[in-house]
Amino acid sequence: MNDLKKLVILSFCLILSWSAGAQQHPSIMITGKNVAAIRKGIQAYPVLAKSYSKVKDDADQALKEGISVPLPADGGGGFTHEQHKKNYIHILNCGIAYQISGDKKYADYIKNILLKYAASYEQWPLHPKRKDGHQGGRIFWQSLNDFVWQVYTIQGYDLAYNAIDAKDRETIEEHLFMPILQFFTQDCKETFDKIHNHGTWDIAAVGMTGYVLHLPNYVEMALKGSNKDGKTGYLAQIDQLFSPDGYYTEGPYYQRYALLPFIILAKTINNYDPQRQIFNYRNQLLSKAINTSLQLTYTTGNFFPINDAIKDKTFESAELVYGVDIAYADIKAQPELLDIAQRQNEVIVSDAGLKIAEAIKAGKNQPFVYHTEWIGDGLDGTEGGLGILRSGSNSDQQCVLIKAASQGMGHGHFDRLNMLYYDHSVEVFPDYGAARFLNIETKKGGDYLPENKTWAKQTVAHNTLVVDETSNFNLDADLAQTAHPEKIFFKNDGKIKAVSAAETKAYPGVNMKRTTALVTIDGLNKPILIDVFQALSSQNHQYDLPFWYNGQLVISSFKINGIKNNLKALGDDNGYQHIWLNAEETVPAKGGYIGVLNNKRFYTTHFTTGSELKVKLLSLGANDPDMSLVESKAFMLSQKQAKNQVFFSITESHGKVDPVNETTVGANSSISDLQIISANEQQVALSFKVKNKTYQYTINYQDKNNQIQLK
Amino acid sequence: MNDLKKLVILSFCLILSWSAGAQQHPSIMITGKNVAAIRKGIQAYPVLAKSYSKVKDDADQALKEGISVPLPADGGGGFTHEQHKKNYIHILNCGIAYQISGDKKYADYIKNILLKYAASYEQWPLHPKRKDGHQGGRIFWQSLNDFVWQVYTIQGYDLAYNAIDAKDRETIEEHLFMPILQFFTQDCKETFDKIHNHGTWDIAAVGMTGYVLHLPNYVEMALKGSNKDGKTGYLAQIDQLFSPDGYYTEGPYYQRYALLPFIILAKTINNYDPQRQIFNYRNQLLSKAINTSLQLTYTTGNFFPINDAIKDKTFESAELVYGVDIAYADIKAQPELLDIAQRQNEVIVSDAGLKIAEAIKAGKNQPFVYHTEWIGDGLDGTEGGLGILRSGSNSDQQCVLIKAASQGMGHGHFDRLNMLYYDHSVEVFPDYGAARFLNIETKKGGDYLPENKTWAKQTVAHNTLVVDETSNFNLDADLAQTAHPEKIFFKNDGKIKAVSAAETKAYPGVNMKRTTALVTIDGLNKPILIDVFQALSSQNHQYDLPFWYNGQLVISSFKINGIKNNLKALGDDNGYQHIWLNAEETVPAKGGYIGVLNNKRFYTTHFTTGSELKVKLLSLGANDPDMSLVESKAFMLSQKQAKNQVFFSITESHGKVDPVNETTVGANSSISDLQIISANEQQVALSFKVKNKTYQYTINYQDKNNQIQLK
């Protein structure tokens, strides 16, 4: 067949493909026409070779292990749970291995394991370990994992399709995929129609299956909801789950997770229905969401662990490998995405991965550019957001995150105006993340621990103000969902990068404003972190501002008298019951400082409230009968009784300890004499000294032309 | 001048050099004849280029900063301390920069700063911050730092010598170096003649200065002691400070430190007096000491932190860069040393560094080979020692250290039969090291903290047996110095790597034996760690065996009831006062297990004592008013009253957690049913099951042909 002839036939097939019902296989991440090129690419491009080798190793492992489709019994981390997870990975990897190697044994594995599932699936009841408040699955304890299973499995099936004979396909489709579609859309209808990441996975599974099996009815349901009226379904989810800045309200950890079904279904739609231009939908929203996911990481690759987050999670996770590959290949070939792909050191063995691998090999990559930016939350981007301040190179970057986003649904923490601070590739003021040992069966089946609620979600677990030893909204998630902080201003003018936000509902009768800035001072090596937390109230309150920190305490302006014995919990409730009080000191009105050595650098935090205050040194672990809490330490600035209160602090990152060469430089902070000159609803005027030069620092909440002045 | 002529003159000079008094400069790390080759090498070899660039940056920094020779005033980490430290580094680096660049400005810096020192030195009294029990210096608070200063400075002077005019040299030698020699040999005579690492630095400074200034009298004193009778001095130190295995009794941290003056003086002697064949002295002892230093590291490069050690210290430290370069270039060109040099990513810009850089560029390096070995302590190698067991690749190695060495003088810890366990590039059962914030002025001037004695040296701070809540030898260092543990056997036969040692003096009336092994079991991925600690006594004692661990507790065979409030110290003294008791549980005679997740791998420790025992969960920090103690955790096996007692434990390293891909495998340990069948002075017979197969494990202390049997 000559090339022209091929082209004509190919064009013909493409035009007819979806609309006329002639299905091409495979047609999702790998399309048939690119198989030869990917095979060649594996020879030519190291990252593609390495990625394929991993895929093939797993596929060979699958063949070696043989097929195991156990009756679903265990919760997260348990045997049947992990086996069914392994199975879907095996199925996908065998599908890829079949396409690349052409060796039918991989397709046979898929055929055989799917026949095995098809022989059992209809007999499986709802999972015995399902839990109240979670829609149970049939393969896994929660339906979410079933959806994920199908998103992977249907790709493997698509990849092996042409090697499975029609009769077996019929068995598989009739006794596995059709019952699955029915389960996903009917039994799980509520989830299917919910604007929520579980819903996205359900929709993606149904939509992809619909395309692969050529079931337009299911495709339409996936796109427009089970009523096909567009009120729910995929497009409604794109409209409603992300802000215009591409932020997903549950936070980065869940944004990453939510992203995969969005983009993989988008890729499927784009292949089958290119005229939809799905990647252009809502002003290229999916591209924004991928980029925003990357902006929601520190330079280590770790996602900002706000809300219920597993702290080890990085942009190396599979979701972002898909995201980066598709963003580069199918949306816009930004060369800085190649930097991320290189650090991921992996591509999806696919049409998109081929493009990435080719571009890396051609040396097209440019360093990833981290932005100082405000990322708005909410449908129209006005329901608060995240303020991210960055300074320095990708190898030694200061980064401040102020969380002024909305509650973020069920996985939200009660940490309005929370601050995270990173420097020198480590956490300086960390967030605890979730209280959870993911996939550790012995720790509550890998699920959230009770301490997630009693500790991790509580306000005092975060670097933000606690009023009267209670948590924001008294930990009422529904109430919290009704209100969000307001951005006052965001500024990025080079010398001053600042974010200012207000929260007025979290504590009734208390108006809170936080203005946090990275400020460059002549004569200092690095910007200083100026943090001004103001609370205004007509009533007296106890105000506690904790700074959870990493590192070792090495200096303080006041004598610390560590409590020697009979350590007591700081309080009875709202997270305070989990905190040990290690020391409590009185600091005079002029303020003081505390210095910490962390990753060979000093962090000295100077502070004043303009009146005498207590500084409490804290560690985590009280009332923890199962010993599930992870070591954490804080110093807490505490004002027992005040109506209006400003907490003014400056954290200087300075000096260097080289333990290998045994040298120390710059151990002393250059900051001193913090003063609160005046503070009211309109303005806070402050001053401080750097090496004996006095600076006036004024925050104007209302004057748009003079939001921050430094003189 | 033609080449032949040059060669004749050169040879003539060489022959005459030391004996006839015609001095060549420079003649220590860089010799004049190699300068041209080093210059070329900097163009050709990346690691040499990088190393020189660092040297030159520091030299340029020195020129930029100008000269500062402050009146000595501050302790470790303080301004004058750090300035004088910087000065000697600057002096050496300017010397190298002068030789390589030929730019006289670097030599002028050396001339000027030394003239400045020469103008003040004689007026400086003993340092105001000197301490009781430490010989004070004049530049630094302790004379040790003065010696180090001179070891570096004399090299810089030697490098710049030819560019300093005779009159200035006379001033520098008369008013700085001669008074220094006098101070080092007369005021510091006791140190100079002491067989101790401070003495080595003193001797090296005096010997090198003697060579460079051509003062044979001082050279002879350096080699043979101030009485020139050979009872003290350099050769006596080589004879007495190292064991035949090249072990320095204070432990790895001090071995590294002690090494530099040894090898740099050796290099100087070798250049000036090659006929001494100093590197062959005592059966190539210095070469052994360098290799042993490397064997005393884990694969991360960190030295085993036994005794007073700073835990961050790695073989990247300058001493080991010198050591590796000289060992390769001047003693024996072992290609595996190039692996270390590559990981150091630095060479000394010198004759030796040139050879290393050349060899690396030529691709001669081979992976460093870590040995399973016994390293004997003591003059004849029979005063106990260290047993090191290793298994696995350099990137994922299990490593066990049993410390059965002698006390190690003043920096020794009271931790007879202590165990350190590493795996997967992290500490599993760590040692605390020293309680010290090196060079942090605010933490007791960077010196050892009070907690070094009240905590870090105490027996309970280590992974070894504590009898009756006291420490070995009741913390009497002099007494401890009189006795050492005995090696019972050491075995390395592939399937079983084992060390067995006894200590009978640390607790009067208690005979302690520890036999620790890495044992390969068919069907398990990694060897298991079998630890058998036996105590025999005619009296009743309380026996506590702590396992200080890293990671998070995830499983236990018994219910743990964490103490919820009013945390109490475990005891009153001997380190117990610093420990919080977090939980205390009773475990039945058949034993139990505790499992920890550390760096994404599981470590399950099964244990039994054959009788009911208490397991105590501990954390560090009680009675720590300055909050100086670093977070640490342990589980402690505790037997309240027993005469004879065996603690039998097996720690399995198993499974894998991948938080990025959210998978967990192998979370369950395969070990069970530990049993102590019999135990007496001759033999301990044990059994355990692996996946339901029973193994008999027998230790024979006296039968040399059957020390360990596994059936």
Side-chain angles (χ1 to χ4, degrees), chain A residues 93-372:
Chain A
N93 285 331
C94 281
I96 298 170
Y98 167 64
Q99 286 294 335
I100 302 303
S101 72
D103 192 331
K104 203 165 166 291
K105 67 183 177 188
Y106 299 111
D108 287 345
Y109 171 88
I110 295 175
K111 178 187 74 180
N112 292 329
I113 195 169
L114 291 182
L115 285 171
K116 192 101 184 218
Y117 272 103
S120 310
Y121 186 81
E122 288 164 303
Q123 283 80 56
W124 287 344
L126 272 183
H127 197 283
K129 288 277 172 72
R130 68 188 182 279
K131 292 176 195 168
D132 281 350
H134 288 86
Q135 160 80 53
R138 283 163 77 172
I139 306 176
F140 299 97
W141 68 274
Q142 62 173 347
S143 61
L144 172 62
N145 299 77
D146 284 44
F147 308 146
V148 174
W149 187 95
Q150 179 64 7
V151 165
Y152 282 81
T153 297
I154 194 64
Q155 292 182 70
Y157 181 70
D158 180 44
L159 288 158
Y161 190 94
N162 293 329
I164 303 174
D165 63 55
K167 197 168 150 288
D168 288 331
R169 289 202 308 251
E170 200 186 310
T171 307
I172 292 166
E173 294 183 12
E174 191 179 329
H175 296 288
L176 180 61
F177 293 143
M178 290 310 294
I180 280 180
L181 285 172
Q182 187 160 332
F183 180 67
F184 285 11
T185 53
Q186 291 179 23
D187 302 61
C188 302
K189 182 170 187 299
E190 197 185 320
T191 305
F192 186 81
D193 284 333
K194 202 170 173 182
I195 305 296
H196 183 275
N197 85 75
H198 289 208
T200 322
W201 280 100
D202 193 350
I203 284 167
V206 170
M208 290 165 71
T209 307
Y211 277 117
V212 171
L213 305 192
H214 194 61
L215 302 165
N217 179 45
Y218 280 104
V219 170
E220 205 182 344
M221 281 168 69
L223 293 174
K224 298 183 175 170
S226 61
N227 291 334
K228 300 181 189 164
D229 57 7
K231 287 186 184 162
T232 65
Y234 185 63
L235 300 175
Q237 292 221 351
I238 299 183
D239 288 337
Q240 294 176 47
L241 270 184
F242 293 96
S243 78
D245 291 338
Y247 179 65
Y248 173 68
T249 192
E250 289 192 290
Y253 176 76
Y254 279 94
Q255 166 137 1
R256 159 206 62 80
Y257 190 61
L259 206 58
L260 183 54
F262 271 105
I263 54 181
I264 200 161
L265 179 55
K267 175 78 177 161
T268 313
I269 294 169
N270 202 49
N271 288 350
Y272 280 91
D273 274 349
Q275 72 280 9
R276 278 196 179 271
Q277 298 205 37
I278 189 70
F279 288 119
N280 284 330
Y281 189 78
R282 201 185 166 199
N283 196 20
Q284 294 204 329
L285 193 278
L286 291 176
S287 166
K288 258 184 215 147
I290 295 167
N291 274 294
T292 296
S293 291
L294 295 172
Q295 291 296 338
L296 292 174
T297 61
Y298 183 51
T299 54
T300 51
N302 288 74
F303 293 100
F304 299 132
I306 52 172
N307 295 336
D308 283 344
I310 301 300
K311 293 189 72 168
D312 291 325
K313 207 75 179 185
T314 68
F315 61 43
E316 293 160 357
S317 73
E319 300 89 349
L320 265 290
V321 178
Y322 274 93
V324 167
D325 288 6
I326 291 176
Y328 184 86
D330 294 300
I331 309 180
K332 192 179 169 197
Q334 298 163 270
E336 60 268 30
L337 288 175
L338 300 173
D339 186 17
I340 302 290
Q342 257 194 323
R343 290 168 63 192
Q344 290 170 333
N345 199 15
E346 190 178 355
V347 293
I348 305 301
V349 179
S350 64
D351 302 5
L354 173 66
K355 278 197 195 170
I356 289 262
E358 203 168 9
I360 288 175
K361 174 81 174 187
K364 292 185 183 169
N365 47 311
Q366 287 176 13
F368 186 72
V369 182
Y370 292 94
H371 298 305
T372 288

Side-chain angles (χ1 to χ4, degrees), chain A residues 631, chain B residues 427-428 549-553 596-599 633:
Chain A
E631 295 83 340
Chain B
E427 297 175 313
V428 179
Y549 70 89
N550 284 346
Q552 300 301 321
L553 192 70
V596 161
L597 178 61
N598 180 8
N599 190 27
K633 296 182 290 195

